[in-house]
Amino acid sequence: MMHRKVLHHIQTTQLHRLYCTSTLSTKHVEKKIITKKQIVTKIKQNETDKQTNNNQKDFKNDYIVVGCDEAGRGCVLGPLVASCVAIWKSDEQKLISMGVKDSKLLSPVKRSKLYKEILKVAVCYKVKMVSAEDIDKQRKIESLNEIQRKVLVSATKSVMRKATQNFGDLKFDVYMDSFDLIRDKHAFTTALKKYPNLNLTCVHKADALYPVTGAASIIAKVLRDKQIKKLQKNYDQNIGSGYTSDLHTISFLQQFYHQHHTTPNGTRNTWKTIDSIKGNKR
């Protein structure tokens, strides 16, 4: 008796495998065949089940909440990272149960763990980064507040657009961790005016007040930390977190400048901290 397994590929909405197992003998041939029609039927059923699961939300009573925050605003080393996260309002309790809060109140290990869990709950999210070099260039024509505002608005518009494409014109509550309340609210209101069912809240410390904004802060912080780790690999010493209050960061920048008479890649050279290290006065 001889067994033969033949692999067939069927091009449908997904790549599926078709197995045809034949049992041969001198007296009879037995074949077990999965037909193309059966597979297409199965695929349609799977898609229907998936759509049913996605649509279990009661759109009349549920809506989407959006949080936006940044990490690395005042750092002298590394990028500014803006994050925007959207979840169903009914899933907000999941974030609370996970322990989501202001990223600054969490350990790196806890943030990394929550980062993965947040992405499972999120309807969609968007991250935007502004490098240290680009921040220096932009600061010649605009303030750090304006740079931060633009990148947060951009990330939020991307999330709103994606959520609307997937679920239609639902109600949205947007919570922004704001540094400049009046200008931030004006910029967000103008940028998002195409969404009539939107409620916007700009407030200081929103990452501590609203779980979804806390989730955005965690994503931004985790991804910024990864960028710092990439910079770290280029040097033989601890470069710290990149914040001006971090003694490891200041020590690294001082030693690097005195040895090489320039600053390392990823440095924001328009910061007063760098002027101080160079001995310059403004």
Side-chain angles (χ1 to χ4, degrees):
M1 186 174 292
M2 178 177 60
H3 297 278
R4 180 176 299 169
K5 183 175 288 186
V6 182
L7 179 63
H8 297 272
H9 292 279
I10 295 179
Q11 185 66 41
T12 58
T13 55
Q14 302 175 10
L15 185 62
H16 287 266
R17 293 176 178 173
L18 173 64
Y19 291 96
C20 174
T21 305
S22 300
T23 304
L24 305 178
S25 70
T26 57
K27 293 183 179 180
H28 64 277
V29 177
E30 294 179 355
K31 293 184 178 180
K32 182 181 179 182
I33 302 176
I34 304 175
T35 67
K36 179 177 180 179
K37 182 178 180 181
Q38 288 173 320
I39 289 183
V40 171
T41 300
K42 183 64 175 176
I43 293 170
K44 289 181 179 179
Q45 183 60 50
N46 288 342
E47 289 299 317
T48 299
D49 292 343
K50 182 178 180 181
Q51 191 65 33
T52 299
N53 291 333
N54 287 338
N55 292 338
Q56 285 179 342
K57 300 294 180 183
D58 182 357
F59 287 173
K60 292 183 180 180
N61 297 311
D62 208 353
Y63 57 95
I64 291 177
V65 292
V66 179
C68 40
D69 200 3
E70 54 73 33
R73 168 191 163 85
C75 293
V76 67
L77 194 64
L80 166 65
V81 181
S83 167
C84 184
V85 181
I87 66 167
W88 291 105
K89 175 64 176 179
S90 58
D91 286 335
E92 195 170 46
Q93 186 59 45
K94 292 181 181 179
L95 296 184
I96 297 172
S97 298
M98 289 177 196
V100 169
K101 61 178 73 174
D102 178 0
S103 63
K104 295 185 289 295
L105 303 177
L106 300 167
S107 69
V109 173
K110 182 64 173 179
R111 285 196 297 262
S112 295
K113 181 179 179 180
L114 287 173
Y115 170 84
K116 297 176 183 177
E117 296 301 315
I118 290 167
L119 297 189
K120 294 178 183 178
V121 177
V123 169
C124 54
Y125 73 101
K126 186 68 176 179
V127 173
K128 298 269 188 176
M129 294 191 187
V130 187
S131 69
E133 292 75 16
D134 284 341
I135 289 174
D136 284 342
K137 290 178 183 178
Q138 291 180 39
R139 285 197 73 197
K140 294 177 181 179
I141 57 174
E142 57 188 0
S143 69
L144 181 60
N145 285 353
E146 291 169 322
I147 296 170
Q148 173 183 310
R149 186 178 302 119
K150 285 182 178 180
V151 72
L152 282 170
V153 165
S154 178
T156 305
K157 287 175 68 176
S158 295
V159 164
M160 295 291 293
R161 182 167 56 249
K162 183 66 174 177
T164 302
Q165 288 172 352
N166 289 342
F167 304 106
D169 293 325
L170 298 175
K171 175 186 174 183
F172 293 93
D173 281 356
V174 178
Y175 301 100
M176 178 195 176
D177 190 6
S178 176
F179 191 82
D180 185 338
L181 296 179
I182 296 176
R183 290 185 176 87
D184 286 345
K185 187 166 186 176
H186 174 73
F188 267 72
T189 301
T190 302
L192 302 175
K193 62 183 179 181
K194 65 180 289 186
Y195 303 101
N197 298 322
L198 180 145
N199 294 317
L200 174 65
T201 300
C202 293
V203 62
H204 296 308
K205 306 296 183 182
D207 48 359
L209 298 173
Y210 304 101
V212 71
T213 312
S217 77
I218 289 170
I219 289 178
K221 179 61 175 172
V222 168
L223 295 181
R224 187 190 133 76
D225 285 349
K226 287 184 178 180
Q227 294 300 310
I228 292 297
K229 287 181 179 179
K230 287 182 180 179
L231 285 175
Q232 174 87 44
K233 292 180 180 179
N234 297 325
Y235 308 104
D236 295 327
Q237 66 182 99
N238 183 1
I239 70 172
S241 62
Y243 286 87
T244 56
S245 59
D246 191 323
L247 296 180
H248 292 295
T249 296
I250 299 304
S251 177
F252 162 69
L253 290 171
Q254 288 174 335
Q255 291 181 36
F256 190 95
Y257 181 76
H258 291 311
Q259 290 176 8
H260 304 281
H261 305 291
T262 188
T263 54
N265 292 334
T267 301
R268 302 182 191 180
N269 289 296
T270 54
W271 257 234
K272 290 182 179 180
T273 303
I274 299 303
D275 285 337
S276 178
I277 290 173
K278 291 180 178 180
N280 298 335
K281 293 184 179 180
R282 291 193 184 187

